[in-house]
Amino acid sequence: MSQERVSLSKARQQWLGWQRILRIQRPGDLFFRGITLLFVLIVLGLVAGTAWILISNSLPTIRRFGFSFLTNKAFDPVHDVYGVLPAIFGTLMTSAFALIFAVPLGLGAAIFLVDFCPRPLRFVLAFLIDLLAAIPSVIYGLWGFLVLAPWLHNAGEPWLQQHLGFLPLFAGQPEGVGYLGAGIVLTMMILPLIISVSREVMLVTPIAQREALLALGATRWEVIRHAVLPFARVGILGGVILALGRALGETMAVTMIIGNQANEPSLSLFTPGYTLASVIANQFGEATPGLFLSAIIEAGLILFIITLITNILARWLIASLQRQAQGSRGGRP
Amino acid sequence: MSVPMPTSSSSSSTLQSGESRLHPFLATRSSLNLRRRLVNALVVLFTTLAALFAAGLLIYLLCYVLSQGLRYINLDFFTQLPTPNGEPGGGMGEAFQGSLILIALASLMGVPLGLFTGIYLAEFGRGPFAQGVRFLVDVLNGIPTIIFGLLAWVLIVIPMQSFSGLAGGFALGMIMIPIVTRTSEDVLRLVPRELREASLALGATEARTILQIVLPAARNGIITGVVLAMARVAGETAPLLMTAFGTTFWNTDVTQPMDALPLRIFQFTLSPYQQQVNQAYAGAFVLIVLILLASLAVRLAAGGFKQR
């Protein structure tokens, strides 16, 4: 048997492969397949086109500034000098803030939903979380601008300064708008996403592993710690990175509350700042052809590359967990 | 999961003490048991508090915006144009009109592209190429939507030298593609294999089987995906900033700037006039209710689909 397979020439193998791929006798079927493939190619073309448009249109600033575009502090149309350092700093700062608070909260809430929540409440909460993940960002922005920012200005930030003012994080003038507000709004926006992804991956833990630990006399926490979390770890990480991608690219809610000033990067959470997305949203209106236009598109290109990398990483992690889950399910009697 | 915990001391009494130390769950000393129970109780407490805090925060936000918005809803809000300079009265009629047109334009582009890509992936999609397409579609779903706004801006707005509904529809269409693709692929895969085999056995061609047997069987699920995608783009603001741009007049001309509900909410939120801020709350109310209804409809349809 194996000898026969070895003796098949490579060309013949390829021919058999093609026959298998084109195992269609009727021209109508071939036509239908062609149509669906055509649509797939259009979608691929659109994605490639997006990348191409962003790259080709940011060439003027790439040629002019090179890597200094990433380290320049000014985004100054008057002197035709452009840089996105404050925006990159603001993007990373607000996203990090959001992750620091949303990950423990979201993970805790997900564990509660999977393991401790009373059954009737579980469905209601799960539906609510999914709904909140679908609330448009402009709504979060509206609340952030009209409610959170005034509150931070009058009560929240002065209180923090009074009690924790010795930390560099809470130095400076309370302004309401700034990194703190943007971070809080982002935390609330990515919380539902982290909860729902972690919940889903924790639910795929093989029930046999849970039962085995329970049979050994483990407490519920020990079941989670030794069966659920090791199994779901990769998927949770994927979910967190997915949420990071969302936070990095969030535009409206952040634009409405971050203050939109190209300030020196500073540790103070009270500083108004910029993110890559809010630079685009704020500056496109005044853009004149040439370097200014190109600078905005390059900001978009940087955002595109950053989110592309985070998303590829997240999807890869989640897919690897799903393969693992399928393997273990197949192994069970 | 609600099985009562057996006390581990009874099961561990038969083991050697050396073994029990290796095994974290079979401690002999009751103080260790106490610690384990304490840790367990603390974790239950922390996760419960986390869930309550997260849910409470988000419910508060929802209720606040809804209760504020409800006060300013009236018939004029849906049928009238905004009044200039925050004078009393008026509405957001042109935003509803614009949103409908934009969603229709986006669907014209996003639904066929997404549906056929989904059909390809579900029916013919084997091998590394299909795997790559699937991966790319997932990644496309995570790209910030403002990037598609930039794309439409460069491709359509700048050459036409005018913000337009067309550009807005294009940007929203790009956002719809991955959502429609993934949901239609998923539901097409749920269609029982026997249905296809029965059709093929009766002599139907592959194309006919897909178009007349598989697609109708998956219809509910596909509609669900489309509704989901529409609900998603109905709330998108960022890609419309630099494409549809917004207007405060009635407009059905897709080559001209066009308003949309989230755009109007955004601009009125930042408005200095209290009247317009109130209308922003009312707009937010309508948007949340629309999305709530879409989610509920999707839930019900999905439930019905699984039962069949």
Side-chain angles (χ1 to χ4, degrees), chain B residues 193-230:
Chain B
R193 197 188 158 84
E194 290 79 7
L195 220 56
R196 293 165 219 262
E197 283 170 353
S199 167
L200 290 171
L202 286 172
T205 64
E206 197 177 29
R208 196 176 172 137
T209 301
I210 293 170
L211 287 175
Q212 295 197 335
I213 304 293
V214 179
L215 276 183
R219 194 187 56 210
N220 280 2
I222 291 171
I223 292 174
T224 299
V226 172
V227 170
L228 216 60
M230 283 178 170

Coordinates of all heavy atoms in Angstrom, one line a residue, chain B residues 193-230:
Chain B
R193 N -26.6 17.8 7.1 CA -26.0 17.2 6.0 C -27.0 16.3 5.2 O -26.9 16.3 3.9 CB -24.9 16.2 6.5 CG -23.8 15.8 5.5 CD -23.0 14.7 6.2 NE -22.3 13.9 5.2 CZ -21.2 14.3 4.6 NH1 -20.6 15.4 4.9 NH2 -20.7 13.6 3.6
E194 N -27.9 15.7 5.9 CA -28.9 14.9 5.2 C -29.7 15.6 4.2 O -30.1 15.1 3.2 CB -29.9 14.2 6.3 CG -29.2 13.2 7.2 CD -28.4 13.8 8.3 OE1 -28.4 15.0 8.4 OE2 -27.7 13.0 9.0
L195 N -30.0 16.9 4.5 CA -30.8 17.8 3.7 C -30.1 17.9 2.3 O -30.7 17.8 1.2 CB -31.0 19.1 4.3 CG -32.3 19.8 4.2 CD1 -33.4 18.9 4.7 CD2 -32.3 21.1 5.0
R196 N -28.8 18.2 2.4 CA -28.0 18.4 1.2 C -28.0 17.1 0.4 O -28.2 17.0 -0.8 CB -26.5 18.7 1.5 CG -26.4 20.1 2.1 CD -25.0 20.1 2.7 NE -25.0 20.9 3.9 CZ -24.7 22.2 4.0 NH1 -24.2 22.8 2.9 NH2 -24.8 22.8 5.1
E197 N -27.7 15.9 1.1 CA -27.6 14.6 0.5 C -28.9 14.2 -0.2 O -28.9 13.7 -1.3 CB -27.1 13.6 1.5 CG -25.7 13.7 1.8 CD -25.2 12.9 3.0 OE1 -26.1 12.3 3.6 OE2 -24.0 12.8 3.2
A198 N -30.0 14.5 0.5 CA -31.3 14.2 -0.1 C -31.5 14.9 -1.4 O -31.9 14.4 -2.4 CB -32.4 14.5 0.9
S199 N -31.1 16.2 -1.4 CA -31.3 17.0 -2.6 C -30.4 16.5 -3.7 O -30.8 16.4 -4.9 CB -31.0 18.5 -2.3 OG -30.8 19.2 -3.4
L200 N -29.1 16.2 -3.4 CA -28.2 15.7 -4.4 C -28.7 14.4 -5.0 O -28.6 14.1 -6.2 CB -26.8 15.6 -3.8 CG -26.1 17.0 -3.5 CD1 -24.8 16.8 -2.7 CD2 -25.8 17.8 -4.8
A201 N -29.2 13.6 -4.0 CA -29.6 12.2 -4.5 C -30.8 12.3 -5.4 O -31.0 11.4 -6.3 CB -30.0 11.4 -3.2
L202 N -31.6 13.4 -5.3 CA -32.7 13.5 -6.2 C -32.3 14.1 -7.5 O -33.1 14.4 -8.4 CB -33.8 14.5 -5.6 CG -34.6 13.8 -4.5 CD1 -35.5 14.9 -3.8 CD2 -35.5 12.7 -5.0
G203 N -31.0 14.3 -7.7 CA -30.5 14.8 -9.0 C -30.3 16.3 -9.1 O -30.0 16.7 -10.2
A204 N -30.5 17.0 -8.0 CA -30.3 18.5 -8.1 C -28.8 18.7 -8.2 O -28.0 18.0 -7.7 CB -30.8 19.1 -6.8
T205 N -28.4 19.8 -8.9 CA -27.0 20.2 -9.0 C -26.6 20.8 -7.7 O -27.4 21.1 -6.8 CB -26.8 21.2 -10.1 OG1 -27.5 22.4 -9.7 CG2 -27.3 20.7 -11.4
E206 N -25.3 20.9 -7.5 CA -24.7 21.5 -6.3 C -25.2 22.9 -6.1 O -25.7 23.3 -5.0 CB -23.2 21.5 -6.5 CG -22.5 21.6 -5.2 CD -21.0 21.6 -5.4 OE1 -20.5 21.9 -6.5 OE2 -20.3 21.2 -4.4
A207 N -25.2 23.7 -7.2 CA -25.6 25.1 -7.1 C -27.1 25.2 -6.7 O -27.4 26.0 -5.8 CB -25.4 25.8 -8.4
R208 N -27.9 24.3 -7.3 CA -29.3 24.3 -7.0 C -29.6 23.9 -5.6 O -30.4 24.5 -4.9 CB -30.0 23.4 -8.0 CG -31.5 23.6 -8.0 CD -32.2 22.8 -9.0 NE -33.6 22.9 -8.8 CZ -34.5 23.0 -9.8 NH1 -34.0 23.0 -11.0 NH2 -35.7 23.2 -9.6
T209 N -28.8 22.9 -5.1 CA -29.0 22.5 -3.7 C -28.7 23.6 -2.8 O -29.5 23.9 -1.8 CB -28.0 21.3 -3.4 OG1 -28.2 20.3 -4.3 CG2 -28.1 20.8 -2.0
I210 N -27.6 24.3 -3.0 CA -27.3 25.4 -2.1 C -28.3 26.5 -2.2 O -28.8 27.0 -1.1 CB -25.9 26.0 -2.4 CG1 -24.8 24.9 -2.1 CG2 -25.6 27.2 -1.6 CD1 -23.5 25.2 -2.7
L211 N -28.7 26.9 -3.4 CA -29.6 28.1 -3.5 C -31.0 27.8 -3.1 O -31.7 28.6 -2.5 CB -29.6 28.6 -5.0 CG -28.3 29.3 -5.4 CD1 -28.4 29.6 -6.9 CD2 -28.2 30.6 -4.6
Q212 N -31.5 26.5 -3.3 CA -32.9 26.3 -3.1 C -33.2 25.4 -1.9 O -34.3 25.4 -1.4 CB -33.5 25.6 -4.3 CG -33.5 26.6 -5.5 CD -34.5 26.1 -6.6 OE1 -34.8 25.0 -6.7 NE2 -34.9 27.1 -7.4
I213 N -32.2 24.8 -1.4 CA -32.4 23.9 -0.2 C -31.6 24.5 1.0 O -32.2 24.8 2.1 CB -31.9 22.5 -0.4 CG1 -32.6 21.9 -1.7 CG2 -32.2 21.6 0.8 CD1 -34.1 21.7 -1.5
V214 N -30.3 24.7 0.9 CA -29.5 25.1 2.1 C -29.8 26.5 2.5 O -30.1 26.8 3.7 CB -28.0 24.9 1.7 CG1 -27.2 25.3 2.9 CG2 -27.7 23.4 1.4
L215 N -29.8 27.4 1.5 CA -30.1 28.8 1.9 C -31.4 29.0 2.5 O -31.5 29.7 3.6 CB -29.9 29.7 0.7 CG -28.5 30.2 0.3 CD1 -28.5 31.1 -0.8 CD2 -27.8 30.8 1.5
P216 N -32.5 28.5 2.0 CA -33.8 28.7 2.7 C -33.8 28.1 4.0 O -34.4 28.6 5.0 CB -34.8 27.9 1.7 CG -34.2 28.0 0.4 CD -32.7 27.9 0.6
A217 N -33.1 26.9 4.2 CA -33.1 26.3 5.5 C -32.4 27.2 6.5 O -32.7 27.2 7.7 CB -32.4 24.9 5.5
A218 N -31.4 27.9 6.1 CA -30.6 28.8 7.0 C -31.1 30.2 7.0 O -30.5 31.1 7.6 CB -29.1 28.8 6.5
R219 N -32.3 30.5 6.4 CA -32.7 31.8 6.2 C -32.8 32.6 7.5 O -32.2 33.7 7.6 CB -34.1 31.8 5.5 CG -34.5 33.2 5.0 CD -36.0 33.1 4.5 NE -36.8 32.6 5.6 CZ -37.9 31.9 5.4 NH1 -38.3 31.6 4.2 NH2 -38.7 31.6 6.4
N220 N -33.4 32.1 8.5 CA -33.5 32.8 9.7 C -32.2 33.2 10.3 O -32.0 34.4 10.7 CB -34.2 31.9 10.8 CG -35.7 31.9 10.6 OD1 -36.2 32.6 9.7 ND2 -36.5 31.3 11.5
G221 N -31.3 32.3 10.3 CA -29.9 32.6 10.8 C -29.2 33.7 10.0 O -28.6 34.6 10.6
I222 N -29.4 33.7 8.7 CA -28.7 34.7 7.9 C -29.4 36.0 8.1 O -28.6 37.0 8.3 CB -28.9 34.3 6.4 CG1 -28.0 33.1 6.1 CG2 -28.4 35.4 5.5 CD1 -28.2 32.5 4.8
I223 N -30.7 36.1 8.2 CA -31.4 37.3 8.5 C -30.9 37.9 9.9 O -30.6 39.1 10.1 CB -32.9 37.2 8.5 CG1 -33.4 36.9 7.1 CG2 -33.6 38.4 9.1 CD1 -34.8 36.5 7.0
T224 N -30.7 37.0 10.8 CA -30.2 37.3 12.2 C -28.9 38.0 12.0 O -28.6 39.1 12.6 CB -30.0 36.1 13.0 OG1 -31.3 35.5 13.2 CG2 -29.4 36.5 14.4
G225 N -28.0 37.4 11.2 CA -26.7 38.0 11.0 C -26.7 39.4 10.4 O -26.0 40.3 10.8
V226 N -27.7 39.5 9.4 CA -27.8 40.8 8.7 C -28.3 41.9 9.7 O -27.8 43.0 9.8 CB -28.7 40.7 7.5 CG1 -29.0 42.1 6.9 CG2 -28.1 39.8 6.5
V227 N -29.3 41.5 10.5 CA -29.9 42.4 11.5 C -28.8 42.9 12.5 O -28.6 44.1 12.8 CB -31.1 41.8 12.3 CG1 -31.5 42.7 13.4 CG2 -32.2 41.6 11.3
L228 N -28.0 41.9 12.9 CA -26.9 42.2 13.8 C -25.9 43.2 13.2 O -25.5 44.2 13.9 CB -26.1 40.9 14.1 CG -25.6 40.6 15.5 CD1 -26.7 40.6 16.5 CD2 -24.8 39.3 15.5
A229 N -25.6 43.0 12.0 CA -24.7 43.9 11.3 C -25.3 45.2 11.1 O -24.6 46.3 11.3 CB -24.3 43.3 9.9
M230 N -26.6 45.3 10.8 CA -27.2 46.6 10.7 C -27.2 47.3 12.0 O -27.0 48.5 12.1 CB -28.7 46.4 10.2 CG -28.8 46.1 8.7 SD -30.5 45.9 8.4 CE -30.5 45.8 6.6

